[in-house]
Amino acid sequence: RTASTIFAVLIAFMEKDLNDIEWVVARMKALLAANGTEHVDFIERRVDVEKSVCRRLGTLIGAFHEAVQSTIPLGHPVEHCLKTLMKLYETLAQLVKYFLSLYTLRVGTISGSFEKLVKLSGTHLTQNIYTMITDVQTRQTEQFNQQGNKQQKNRKAGKKTPDLLKENIAAAGITKVMKQSRPISNLVYAIEQYERYLIQLSKKSKVNLMEHIKLSTSRDFRINLANLDSNEKENEISSDDDNDAAGLEEKAGVQLAEASVADDSQTLFLVKAMDKVIVNTV
């Protein structure tokens, strides 16, 4: 019971710290583009400011490194964590754009503390985030399947559900799934934008900042091999009991016998076509 509460307090604290850092980075970019004494003063002390920002972001990355490896409760805790992670990567992207401005204005270069921060984000956070996303999606699917099984048991028990109520339940389920998937897609986009700006900065600085970062690969689906094997076995059983499928198989066999086969490749093509007819019928 206390896990969700403690986790919410932790994420809220990190989010507040991120808001402060985000404001500082925006101020750094504004002073860099400004004219007059403010610009000169900032250029003189920018290295110390950059070190401070990189140190605070590194601390947050370390905290998130532990958080994303935990089994975060589904619902609001997961959603809050994903949104805060998205803000973190958006702040990192803004910091990268700040360093791009340094090269554009020719007033400085990237610092060692920034290089360490980039390495930390690649080795300690990004890949763990994708592992967390997979875990969250798996648990959400299991939860959804449990709800579906419960409804199926109610139908078998004779508990009838009005058509209007069924439509409302279906609509609510779709809305819930879309709401849960939106923070994940937003986070993936923020990570990819951060990596995109890093590639640009690598070209400008002649420093390989992507050395410790594995480029993100976003997928809209995952292949569940266990379910695939199970479905194939069910299809095999169904095909044995299905007389219509047997009739189609016999018909396809006759067509094969009557066909004029020129070579082995033609034979292989016809066999595959027969298999496709049987599978589609099942």
Side-chain angles (χ1 to χ4, degrees), residues 78-146:
V78 165
E79 185 179 350
H80 194 185
C81 181
L82 292 172
K83 288 181 177 179
T84 309
L85 282 168
M86 181 189 70
K87 182 184 286 289
L88 171 65
Y89 278 94
E90 287 176 344
T91 304
L92 287 170
Q94 291 302 315
L95 185 61
V96 175
K97 291 170 73 174
Y98 160 80
F99 281 103
L100 281 170
S101 299
L102 285 181
Y103 283 92
T104 301
L105 298 173
R106 297 182 179 179
V107 292
T109 59
I110 60 175
S111 60
S113 58
F114 175 73
E115 291 186 50
K116 292 178 181 178
L117 177 67
V118 172
K119 178 181 178 181
L120 192 66
S121 68
T123 57
H124 281 64
L125 192 57
T126 303
Q127 293 307 312
N128 288 327
I129 285 176
Y130 282 108
T131 302
M132 180 198 73
I133 288 174
T134 302
D135 173 67
V136 168
Q137 290 177 330
T138 301
R139 287 189 289 135
Q140 287 175 346
T141 302
E142 290 174 354
Q143 187 181 65
F144 185 77
N145 290 338
Q146 288 175 358

Side-chain angles (χ1 to χ4, degrees), residues 96 99-100 103 110 114 118 194-211 213:
V96 175
F99 281 103
L100 281 170
Y103 283 92
I110 60 175
F114 175 73
V118 172
Y194 166 59
E195 293 171 350
R196 171 194 165 196
Y197 291 126
L198 273 181
I199 293 172
Q200 294 179 13
L201 185 57
S202 295
K203 293 178 180 178
K204 288 224 174 190
S205 64
K206 309 299 182 184
V207 177
N208 185 13
L209 298 172
M210 302 297 292
E211 180 181 1
I213 293 181

Side-chain angles (χ1 to χ4, degrees), residues 235 245 248-249 252 256 268-282:
N235 288 337
L248 284 172
E249 185 177 0
L256 267 178
L268 181 60
F269 173 80
L270 290 172
V271 171
K272 289 183 176 179
M274 181 184 69
D275 291 339
K276 187 174 182 181
V277 169
I278 296 170
V279 171
N280 287 339
T281 305
V282 175

Side-chain angles (χ1 to χ4, degrees), residues 15 18 21-22 31 41-42 57 69 71 75 79 98 106 135 165 172 241 260 282:
E15 185 178 21
L18 262 177
I21 298 172
E22 188 178 28
L31 291 173
D41 292 342
F42 173 71
L57 283 171
Q69 294 184 87
T71 304
E79 185 179 350
Y98 160 80
R106 297 182 179 179
D135 173 67
L165 182 58
D241 298 333
S260 176
V282 175

